[in-house]
Amino acid sequence: MAASLSDHVKKIKSILLTLPATGEQGFEGLIGALLYDITGVPFRLAASGLQFGVDGASTYVADRIYFEGKRYDGQIDRTQLITKIADLARRGVDGDVVWVLGATSSISAQLASDLRTDARHRGIGIVILDWSPYGIPPFVAALASGGASAERFLVTQLKNKSERDDMTASLAAVKADALFAAQAQRVLDDLKATAVATTFAQEANTRWLKGVFGSRTRARTWLG
């Protein structure tokens, strides 16, 4: 019996879980390669330790894209993510930037909503590439849409030939599925529409200006 789409998605996840969670040779390195393929923006990884919500950042300041990677087998604890947007703001990263979350587990609807709300308040665009339990997960759609950098990463870092062959076959099966084109387009639109961060920043600025100019006390406090 031929393997189903679900079988191929599970196979991709099982192979990704063999990668180290961090570092250039790990899941973080894969996200950097994948985002480079899709956006054309090169990335550097953050050093281990306190990272303030960022595992990697665009090499050039003008690109203003950051990402966080979570290579987990089980459910991601809310506390592992809920502070990430605030951490970005604490290091002075807010307004006209994009934060990408790549995960091998599903992000709950409530957590995704809270992350987006926090990001919107700080003028930060957010893209969540997680592992939904149905169809083609956003992360898989992104991986199957990747180009030479992601392919080269997988060939280099998957030491087991059978794993490399299985990954190639499963990604090909995902691309051949009728659901792939629409899902991949959604992912590409999210990743390439970095102007969304500017929109959020403008909304945040508008709220701030209305708050300041709507109160004599706040105007004195902020504007003297």
Side-chain angles (χ1 to χ4, degrees):
M1 180 183 296
S4 66
L5 174 63
S6 177
D7 291 332
H8 286 296
V9 169
K10 289 177 181 176
K11 175 62 70 174
I12 292 170
K13 180 172 181 175
S14 69
I15 295 173
L16 291 179
L17 290 176
T18 68
L19 293 171
T22 61
E24 292 184 3
Q25 287 75 47
F27 188 63
E28 293 173 352
L30 174 60
I31 295 177
L34 180 59
L35 292 180
Y36 174 74
D37 282 341
I38 295 174
T39 66
V41 173
F43 290 85
R44 291 192 179 106
L45 298 187
S48 60
L50 190 59
Q51 296 175 327
F52 295 101
V54 171
D55 287 332
S58 49
T59 300
Y60 301 106
V61 176
D63 292 318
R64 298 175 66 76
I65 302 176
Y66 301 83
F67 71 80
E68 175 83 10
K70 292 295 181 187
R71 193 228 60 187
Y72 281 23
D73 188 11
Q75 187 67 32
I76 298 176
D77 185 8
R78 174 185 175 85
T79 59
Q80 294 287 319
L81 287 175
I82 197 60
T83 63
K84 297 300 182 180
I85 302 299
D87 284 342
L88 275 176
R90 272 190 282 274
R91 69 194 297 248
V93 177
D94 58 2
D96 198 19
V97 303
V98 174
W99 183 75
V100 180
L101 171 63
T104 55
S105 294
S106 177
I107 305 299
S108 71
Q110 296 93 327
L111 178 54
S113 176
D114 289 345
L115 288 171
R116 290 191 173 103
T117 297
D118 289 348
R120 181 180 291 273
H121 287 331
R122 291 173 170 84
I124 296 173
I126 182 172
V127 178
I128 298 177
L129 302 177
D130 66 337
W131 211 275
S132 60
Y134 309 108
I136 301 175
F139 190 90
V140 175
L143 187 59
S145 302
S149 296
E151 182 179 347
R152 185 165 53 251
F153 177 94
L154 293 171
V155 168
T156 303
Q157 303 307 327
L158 296 177
K159 308 302 182 184
N160 188 305
K161 184 179 183 302
S162 65
E163 289 182 344
R164 294 197 299 270
D165 292 343
D166 286 346
M167 178 65 82
T168 299
S170 290
L171 288 176
V174 168
K175 290 181 184 180
D177 192 88
L179 298 173
F180 173 70
Q183 182 72 333
Q185 191 60 53
R186 291 189 187 99
V187 169
L188 293 175
D189 287 346
D190 274 354
L191 285 171
K192 290 184 176 180
T194 54
V196 72
T198 302
T199 300
F200 289 161
Q202 290 170 344
E203 291 176 358
N205 288 340
T206 299
R207 286 195 300 271
W208 185 86
L209 288 169
K210 286 181 178 178
V212 170
F213 287 104
S215 165
R216 191 184 299 269
T217 301
R218 283 195 294 270
R220 284 202 189 98
T221 299
W222 286 99
L223 305 176

